[in-house]
Each structure stands twice: as structure tokens, then as C-alpha cells.
Amino acid sequence: MPAASPTPALRVTGLRKSYQDVVAVNGLDLEVRAGECFGLLGPNGAGKTTTVEICEGLTAPDSGEVELLGMHWSSDAKELRQRLGIQLQDTQLSEKLTVHETLRLFRSFFEQGPGADEAIALVQLEEKKNSRVGNLSGGQKQRLALACALVGDPDFLFLDEPTTGLDPQARRQLWELIEQFKSSGRTILLTTHYMDEAERLCERVAIMDNGKQIAFGTPRELINSICAEHLVAFSAGAKSQSLDLPALRKISGVRDVRSENGTVEMQVTELHLAVPSLLAELTRQNIPLTELSTHSATLEDVFVSLTGRHLRDE
Amino acid sequence: MLPLFFVFIWLNILQSPKAIQMSETTAIPEIRAREAEKKSPRGKTFAEHALVQLTIVRFLETLREPEALFWIFAFPILLAAGLGLAFRNKPAEVLKIATTSPALTQSLQQEKLLAVQQMDPYDAEEALRTGKIALLAVPGENGTVVYRYDDTNPEGRTARMLADRAVQQAAGRVDPVRASDQFMREPGSRYIDFLIPGLIGMNLMGSAIWGMGFTVVDARRKKLLKRLVATPMPKQYFLLAYLLSRILMLVLEVGIVLGFGAWIFHVPVRGSLLSLAVVCLLGSLAFSALGLLLASRAKTIEAASGLMNAVMLPMWIASGVFFSAQRFPDVVQPFIKALPLTAAIDALRANMLQGANLAQLAPQMGVLAAWMIVSFVLALKLFRWR
């Protein structure tokens, strides 16, 4: 699919899906452009996996429409299967088989694509080629899962939480592989609850919560939308009860202040002005500072500002 | 067509990386060349076909499961060896008896099938009571003889007949008719001949139901089934591959038990091997279908294993693996005959011991076919990929 085509690689309209008494997806619209890496973010239980599995043709929606590569699951399932690369959340491949045997098996399902050896080279598993899957590390297993998604030379790649549970080094290694695949001009839909992953890999993201899209745009646009470049967090120990929050809100350059479990978090536009004023104000209120930290705003802060909750602690 | 398929599978196993490593010094250039050829973009080779790959993978997985190999191959042989030894037909047994008088001892020693011991009365009573001797002969009044033995014990009754003959002959009895013996010790009527077909049947059932049930449920639990459905793999190939690899295993597992029985115990195979193969194949397919049905919904190994045991246990007991199913009351015979394991074992015994041909095995084949079709249709209706 050429990048200039007006048809999006994936278009989802009015998607709804309920399980018994839980509404997993509640009227979702999405559009993924050809050639981009699109991130679907949200906490666990936001409906990301259900959405992706509906797009992958594994789950039937209650209502709504999915158009993938200009085709529909109802009429073009066979053709679609050949053109998709899919990595599911926590699939355990057969432990008794070797890396090479596993890929040879998956390759046999597709009409075209790289051979098993080539796929192994793509994910840098050459040294483990003849190792049993059961003896691979978590990161190596995820790379094998990625290779299984790549053996069909897919036009569209679904990655459902590809780095969950991996150590930082293994995550970075997987990111590099995904970036390589991106540079070959194919489309990716990635779900994750790691905001740094989305910021690094995705051109555009949609944030989901409770089955709905609550924000949409490029990572930069979303960060800018909270109108604060920096976050300042401090802790006042035992005296935080007597803290005068409204006074803090009046400090120039401060956009918002919220207090949670004794820690105060402030969204700030001009760090160099806000911090000295904050220190002066705390001295005036006679509040001793036990901790102070600042960081640049991230997608995580976007989520917090939209929902009042953190992503990972649910 | 089937033998050809086996050859291809075998070739492919030889080409697996391990085999290449083993033959590193000799054949590597040729194999490399063949691998390179396979990668060429034109149509797929036989070995690259999805069905062939699925079958190979399934077969390799079974071979790499040491516990499964034990239950499929070693266990039936150990069982056959153990039971074959325990219930072997001993050469005509010598019965132990005792007397309390020297005169009786002398008369009874003429009978070669009796081992006579002279004891004092107290010890002799003790030996009889504890079953160390089958019979005690004591002199009665006026030159008579009294035999003390348990008449419900066949050994006691035999000892009574032998002892009395020896006593009467020693006293001068002459038999009016002269008789001589010819011994018939033909294989086919011993316990081991009865047991081997039973074990083959039990093995057919066990390996098919466990093999099918466990692996399907395990793959479902690990979401591997879901992952496979997300590829273009034709779904029927997945099930077909299970059956094909089952057939491969079948050749090995029946061959080993049968070969063991024939070699060590000279168990006969009087029917044609082809009919035997057909019976085994149909039996295995019927049990595989049953295994698939049992595994069609279960999401945990525990649930599946409970279900499989509940189905298999009654058949182990009722279907005549270790003793004839005829021993159960007549009322339940129709039910026992309708069990797939009974049908499989009856057919195997009729083939091996009586040399029955396929036409004579039609009723059992019918039972197996019915189980196969009904289970398979139900399994396809109920089967969940996730």
C-alpha cells in the first residue's frame, strides 16, 4: 500500500464489544495511516487488547466496522491473514521445538516471505538457532515471537505489548528491531502501557481508558496539550497537612497543582521561575522540604492529567 | 501413498539441524545445497507444506517428551514382562503333601507329581492349616487311610486324586484300561497370549487420548492455538496433522509391543498383518477423536486430565485388558461390548489368536467407526481455539 494513498491502512468506526457485564470497547473510532507506527495506550483493562483482537479478526465485535488494508474480515479473511503479521500478548510457543523449527513451521503457513534463517537473522537470534524455545530468555522469546510475525513479510504488523515484562536492555533491543521494521515502510499498530515506548516508537498515539479514546495525536501534541513542559514534585513530610495549596497555584508559571499521599505534583511552564518562587512560598508557610524532583512532561503526565490516575499502579 | 509420506517425514527429520550436526564431517555440502534449493522463491517443496510441517512438529514434540515416551513404549513392555513372568505356565506342578506314617510315605513316593514329607502330627496339622502342603494323609482304623484337605482348593482336590491313585496302586490295584499321555503346549492359550492384545489395545487408547487431549489443552492454555489461528494456517490441517503424527507413532508403539511379545514370549499373530494394521488404525482414530472431544473445551490440564481419567478408567477395568470381560454379569455385557476399548481388544485378540479376517471383525470395526464418527462430529461442533 503506497504511503500517498488516501485509504488508511486501518479504519475502525463505532467499535463496541461487551463480555457478560463488562463493556470492553465502548464506541471506538481509529484511523491508522499507511506506513506509520500507531500506538494504542492505556492502563490494563482499558480495552486495548480487545480492540486489537477485533482488528486481527480473532474476536467478533458486537457492532462497528473494521477496514484493514482496504479489506474486510467478513469477505477477505484469507487474503488478510496472508498480509498480517501478528504478535499476541503472552503466547507461549512450543518449548520442545527449536527456534529454527518454530520459524520453519510458521513460514509454512505463508505464501511468501523470508525463510526461517532470514527471519532468525532479522531478530538477531542466530546464536540460538538450534536452541529449544524453553531455554530462551524472556527477551529472546519475544524476539522469536516477533520473527514469527515477520515470516509472512506482512504489510501490517500488530504488536500487543511486545516488551511487557522485559528488562530494560531487552526492551531497548526490541525497540531497535521494531524501528528497523518501521524504516522498511510498513504499518504497525502497537499497544503498550509504557509511555516511553510509545514516545520513542510511535508517530501518533491514541490513549484509551474504559473502552474509549480519551486523547489522540502525536506524542508531542499530547504533551503540549497539557500546556506544561515540566513537572515538579515535592514532599513535605509530616507537615504536608498544613500546606496551603491555593497559595501554590498562584505562583507564576504554575498551571496545576495536585496532592496525593503526601506528595505534591505541579505542572509548570517555566521551571527557572517557578522553582525559586516555590521555595520562597514554602519558607513563608514554614514547611520543611523533604524531597524535590523535576522532569520534563511525558505521555504518562498526559494520562495523569486526563484521568487523575497513574497508568501502571492499577 | 501413506508409506511415501513416512519416507518424506523421515527425510525431513534427518535434515533437521541436529542431524546435520551429527553428520557434519560427511554430508554437509549436499545438505547445504538442498537447503539453498528449498529457499528458492518458486513453489513450495513437499517439506515446506503447512501440513507436513505441522505433522513433523507434532511428531518431534512427542519424541521430545521423555515421560510420554515412557508411558507409550517402556510401560507396556514392563507390564507385559512382569505379568508374563508372574502368570507363566509352569511345567506340570509338583504338589506338596505330608503323611504321618512311614508306610504311607513309601506308597505315596511312587507318584512323581507329589512331593511327600513325613511329619509329626502337630507339625503336619500346622503345615496344612497354613497352606504349606495341599493334603495330609493319615492312617485310619483297620488299615484305612484318611485324606485331610481343603476341597474348595483345586490343588487339594488334585492332590487327593493323585494320592489316592498312588495308595491304591501300592496296595495292588491294577487299572483295567491302559492309558498314555500326549502333551499339547501350544502358544495361544497362555495368559501372555491373552495379555499382549489387551496391552496393545490399552496403549492405543492411552496414547491417543493423552496425546490428543493433553497437547491440545496445553496449547490452548498457552494461547498457542489462538496464535496459530491468527496465521493463514488452514484449521483442518492442524487436526489432520495430529492424526497423521498419531499414525506415525502408532507404527512404533504397536510394533514394539507386538515385537516384544512375539520375540520373548512367542505370542502368535495368526491373522494377516494387514488386518491387524487396519484394526489398530481404526482403533487409534476412534480414540483420537474421543481425545479431541474430551479436549474440545477444557482450559486447564487439571480439568482435561480429570475428564480423560473418568472416561478411561472404566474401560481399563471393564474392557478385558487383564482378564476376560465375560466375567461381568450378562446384564452389562451389551454396554461393555459397546465400549471402544472392548471392541478394539476383542478385534485384536480375534485377529492374533484365532486368525480372524476383517469380515469376521465387522461388529467390532462397526463399534470403533461409530465412536470415531460421533466423537469427531461432536468435537468439531464443540471445539474452541481459545
Side-chain angles (χ1 to χ4, degrees):
Chain A
M1 183 140 310
S5 160
T7 323
L10 170 69
R11 183 191 286 141
V12 171
T13 39
L15 207 60
R16 267 173 224 282
K17 176 76 186 177
S18 315
Y19 294 107
Q20 278 116 43
D21 47 351
V22 185
V23 182
V25 182
N26 190 6
L28 186 76
D29 302 306
L30 281 180
E31 210 172 275
V32 178
R33 294 179 194 143
E36 79 173 336
C37 178
F38 189 92
L40 203 52
L41 315 192
N44 291 332
K48 305 188 299 286
T49 296
T50 304
T51 304
V52 168
E53 286 184 356
I54 291 170
C55 296
E56 289 165 344
L58 295 174
T59 303
D62 295 340
S63 65
E65 205 181 317
V66 174
E67 189 187 318
L68 188 53
L69 300 170
M71 292 182 275
H72 295 270
W73 281 109
S74 52
S75 51
D76 318 293
K78 221 173 161 181
E79 166 81 15
L80 272 171
R81 285 263 167 261
Q82 285 289 345
R83 293 178 59 186
L84 299 185
I86 291 176
Q87 185 199 33
L88 297 175
Q89 210 183 119
D90 38 74
T91 296
Q92 290 167 272
L93 295 163
S94 179
E95 307 214 320
K96 299 269 183 265
L97 299 178
T98 68
V99 168
H100 188 264
E101 285 160 355
T102 304
L103 285 168
R104 204 168 50 164
L105 173 69
F106 275 86
R107 175 63 184 83
S108 75
F109 304 144
F110 292 90
E111 278 157 16
Q112 45 113 42
D117 290 302
E118 233 177 298
I120 289 170
L122 277 178
V123 298
Q124 297 159 19
L125 274 178
E126 290 98 332
E127 279 172 27
K128 294 287 171 184
K129 183 178 160 183
N130 295 325
S131 302
R132 300 262 176 99
V133 173
N135 297 332
L136 300 182
S137 70
Q140 288 164 342
K141 279 183 187 157
Q142 285 296 58
R143 277 189 275 155
L144 176 59
L146 181 62
C148 289
L150 295 179
V151 283
D153 194 16
D155 294 323
F156 199 114
L157 186 62
F158 287 98
L159 301 174
D160 197 359
E161 308 222 347
T163 66
T164 298
L166 297 188
D167 62 66
Q169 199 194 341
R171 288 178 68 198
R172 267 192 293 278
Q173 201 175 5
L174 209 66
W175 288 349
E176 279 162 25
L177 293 173
I178 295 170
E179 277 169 343
Q180 271 174 32
F181 178 79
K182 254 173 70 177
S183 64
S184 59
R186 281 167 286 196
T187 316
I188 302 176
L189 178 62
L190 172 98
T191 77
T192 182
H193 60 257
Y194 295 116
M195 295 293 140
D196 50 346
E197 185 162 295
E199 281 179 58
R200 166 147 179 189
L201 295 175
C202 300
E203 274 88 35
R204 296 189 306 157
V205 297
I207 300 182
M208 277 185 83
D209 193 34
N210 294 325
K212 282 182 178 157
Q213 176 183 305
I214 56 170
F216 172 81
T218 67
R220 186 80 343 244
E221 281 167 6
L222 289 177
I223 291 166
N224 291 344
S225 74
I226 57 171
C227 298
E229 285 145 37
H230 301 279
L231 274 291
V232 176
F234 70 88
S235 173
K239 296 201 80 174
S240 52
Q241 300 298 326
S242 52
L243 197 62
D244 180 10
L245 286 178
L248 295 181
R249 287 205 177 88
K250 286 181 198 132
I251 298 172
S252 78
V254 171
R255 307 267 324 166
D256 193 17
V257 178
R258 63 176 78 236
S259 170
E260 201 180 313
N261 306 326
T263 303
V264 179
E265 222 174 67
M266 307 180 6
Q267 296 179 6
V268 164
T269 45
E270 287 160 305
L271 197 62
H272 60 289
L273 296 178
V275 170
S277 318
L278 170 67
L279 294 177
E281 175 64 21
L282 288 177
T283 312
R284 191 188 65 75
Q285 290 187 27
N286 197 20
I287 303 246
L289 205 56
T290 58
E291 236 181 270
L292 176 71
S293 68
T294 71
H295 66 263
S296 304
T298 64
L299 284 176
E300 174 90 26
D301 301 310
V302 176
F303 185 80
V304 173
S305 100
L306 287 171
T307 65
R309 287 175 290 132
H310 282 276
L311 267 169
R312 256 165 278 174
D313 53 25
E314 313 193 28
Chain B
M1 184 238 149
L2 215 55
L4 197 70
F5 181 77
F6 293 149
V7 172
F8 269 113
I9 300 281
W10 187 241
L11 273 179
N12 208 284
I13 291 166
L14 286 182
Q15 284 181 26
S16 78
K18 254 198 191 140
I20 292 174
Q21 275 167 6
M22 284 192 298
S23 60
E24 207 155 21
T25 46
T26 52
I28 201 124
E30 289 158 56
I31 290 169
R32 283 249 169 86
R34 227 179 299 161
E35 291 254 312
E37 211 173 281
K38 279 200 300 188
K39 255 183 282 173
S40 60
R42 63 191 164 70
K44 285 184 182 181
T45 66
F46 180 82
E48 285 168 348
H49 193 271
L51 182 57
V52 179
Q53 276 298 322
L54 280 164
T55 309
I56 292 170
V57 157
R58 190 62 221 107
F59 192 61
L60 286 178
E61 281 174 326
T62 315
L63 287 184
R64 288 174 188 173
E65 191 88 60
E67 299 90 342
L69 290 187
F70 172 80
W71 289 111
I72 293 175
F73 296 119
F75 180 68
I77 287 180
L78 289 176
L79 207 57
L83 292 171
L85 282 177
F87 293 98
R88 72 190 182 282
N89 292 11
K90 295 161 200 147
E93 206 170 343
V94 175
L95 295 171
K96 287 180 184 160
I97 64 168
T99 68
T100 53
S101 92
L104 271 176
T105 309
Q106 213 174 10
S107 325
L108 287 168
Q109 271 168 348
Q110 300 304 311
E111 175 56 65
K112 289 192 183 62
L113 293 176
L114 294 176
V116 191
Q117 230 185 328
Q118 196 181 321
M119 296 178 174
D120 66 64
Y122 178 81
D123 286 347
E125 284 296 332
E126 172 77 20
L128 183 63
R129 211 170 36 245
T130 54
K132 288 192 183 106
I133 55 171
L135 174 136
L136 172 62
V138 292
E141 285 166 27
N142 309 324
T144 59
V145 59
V146 178
Y147 302 117
R148 296 173 54 72
Y149 65 100
D150 178 357
D151 69 329
T152 64
N153 177 355
E155 286 195 350
R157 292 200 300 269
T158 311
R160 159 71 170 79
M161 279 158 53
L162 293 169
D164 192 49
R165 188 176 69 179
V167 167
Q168 303 298 349
Q169 281 178 351
R173 183 178 85 185
V174 178
D175 292 333
V177 179
R178 279 186 62 83
S180 62
D181 299 325
Q182 270 185 355
F183 297 114
M184 293 287 294
R185 290 178 190 165
E186 179 85 358
S189 54
R190 302 161 305 167
Y191 181 62
I192 188 75
D193 303 314
F194 177 84
L195 182 66
I196 289 284
L199 286 181
I200 292 177
M202 186 179 80
N203 214 18
L204 283 182
M205 174 173 83
S207 57
I209 291 186
W210 291 121
M212 200 78 189
F214 265 144
T215 42
V216 167
V217 175
D218 196 44
R220 182 183 294 119
R221 186 177 65 86
K222 290 176 169 171
K223 300 192 181 170
L224 187 57
L225 286 185
K226 190 168 147 192
R227 178 66 188 89
L228 289 173
V229 175
T231 70
M233 174 190 79
K235 287 181 189 174
Q236 69 274 22
Y237 280 9
F238 179 79
L239 300 179
L240 211 51
Y242 265 84
L243 295 184
L244 288 174
S245 76
R246 195 82 279 289
I247 293 168
L248 282 176
M249 290 299 291
L250 189 67
V251 175
L252 294 178
E253 68 195 34
V254 173
I256 283 178
V257 178
L258 203 61
F260 175 82
W263 181 45
I264 302 290
F265 292 106
H266 307 290
V267 172
V269 183
R270 301 209 168 99
S272 82
L273 278 176
L274 185 68
S275 338
L276 187 69
V278 171
V279 170
C280 289
L281 184 64
L282 185 62
S284 190
L285 291 180
F287 290 123
S288 299
L290 191 56
L292 187 67
L293 175 62
L294 296 176
S296 57
R297 284 286 174 98
K299 281 188 174 162
T300 64
I301 294 287
E302 289 79 7
S305 132
L307 210 54
M308 289 189 279
N309 277 329
V311 167
M312 287 199 284
L313 194 68
M315 289 201 265
W316 280 328
I317 296 168
S319 289
V321 177
F322 299 104
F323 56 88
S324 173
Q326 304 291 341
R327 292 195 179 206
F328 289 99
D330 288 345
V331 194
V332 294
Q333 286 298 331
F335 298 101
I336 290 179
K337 287 255 182 289
L339 294 173
L341 186 58
T342 315
I345 291 178
D346 284 354
L348 287 168
R349 283 202 181 116
N351 172 280
M352 288 170 64
L353 307 181
Q354 281 120 49
N357 60 30
L358 283 181
Q360 290 165 300
L361 300 178
Q364 287 88 356
M365 306 278 279
V367 170
L368 288 175
W371 276 96
M372 177 178 76
I373 293 166
V374 171
S375 305
F376 196 64
V377 169
L378 275 178
L380 285 187
K381 267 197 185 324
L382 295 175
F383 198 82
R384 288 269 182 282
W385 290 88
R386 48 196 299 180

